[in-house]
Amino acid sequence: RQERYRNIDPIVGSGRVAAKWAEWDANAVFVDDTGGYGAVWLSHLKLLGRHATGIKFSGKPNDEQYANKRAEMYFKAAEWVKSGGALPPIGTEGMAELAAALTETTYTIKNDKLLLEPKELVKQRIGYSPDDADALALTT
């Protein structure tokens, strides 16, 4: 089940994540740690006894065919869907934003590596940050 928090204070947000982590008995939580904002969430989760994994979207991918971790995660998410992974049904809260983010994000090849267009350009085109697609990518 998806929970969406936008423009939430990191202390309040990390408390909600820690509570859901316990409620859902989750094995792990992954946080976009590309900029400084994710680091605050990671620190507060640690204070709450939860050791989340920070993922640097701009970091090095495991597979060298991708330009960065973000591209690798998005392509892995696409492979998951193609192999039968189920997305929420149309009409589910957030599904319209997820569908737009997934279908509107383009890619190119740079130096023989797959590269997604910058998140800022996707945001300009669809009118909001593709956070739902990032969240899906973090799960694959």
Side-chain angles (χ1 to χ4, degrees), residues 41-64:
W41 286 70
L42 291 166
S43 294
H44 287 288
L45 283 165
K46 188 174 182 180
L47 289 172
L48 295 169
R50 298 292 181 169
H51 297 276
T53 301
I55 305 293
K56 296 201 181 302
F57 279 38
S58 61
K60 184 178 178 183
N62 293 333
D63 185 334
E64 292 188 19

Side-chain angles (χ1 to χ4, degrees), residues 6-123:
R6 282 205 174 123
N7 303 315
I8 189 171
D9 179 88
I11 295 171
V12 173
S14 57
R16 289 185 187 173
V17 169
K20 288 297 179 182
W21 193 338
E23 178 185 333
W24 295 340
D25 194 26
N27 293 325
V29 168
F30 301 95
V31 175
D32 178 359
D33 191 24
T34 303
Y37 191 69
V40 176
W41 286 70
L42 291 166
S43 294
H44 287 288
L45 283 165
K46 188 174 182 180
L47 289 172
L48 295 169
R50 298 292 181 169
H51 297 276
T53 301
I55 305 293
K56 296 201 181 302
F57 279 38
S58 61
K60 184 178 178 183
N62 293 333
D63 185 334
E64 292 188 19
Q65 72 175 317
Y66 303 104
N68 58 31
K69 193 61 153 173
R70 179 173 172 253
E72 181 179 40
M73 291 188 309
Y74 268 65
F75 277 92
K76 296 290 182 193
E79 289 174 17
W80 175 77
V81 170
K82 289 177 188 176
S83 69
L87 295 175
I90 299 296
T92 304
E93 180 183 352
M95 184 53 199
E97 286 191 17
L98 174 60
L102 291 174
T103 59
E104 294 293 326
T105 301
T106 63
Y107 69 93
T108 188
I109 297 174
K110 182 178 180 183
N111 299 326
D112 294 327
K113 297 183 184 292
L114 293 166
L115 176 67
L116 294 181
E117 74 177 305
K119 187 173 178 177
E120 296 76 29
L121 294 179
V122 177
K123 185 176 179 177

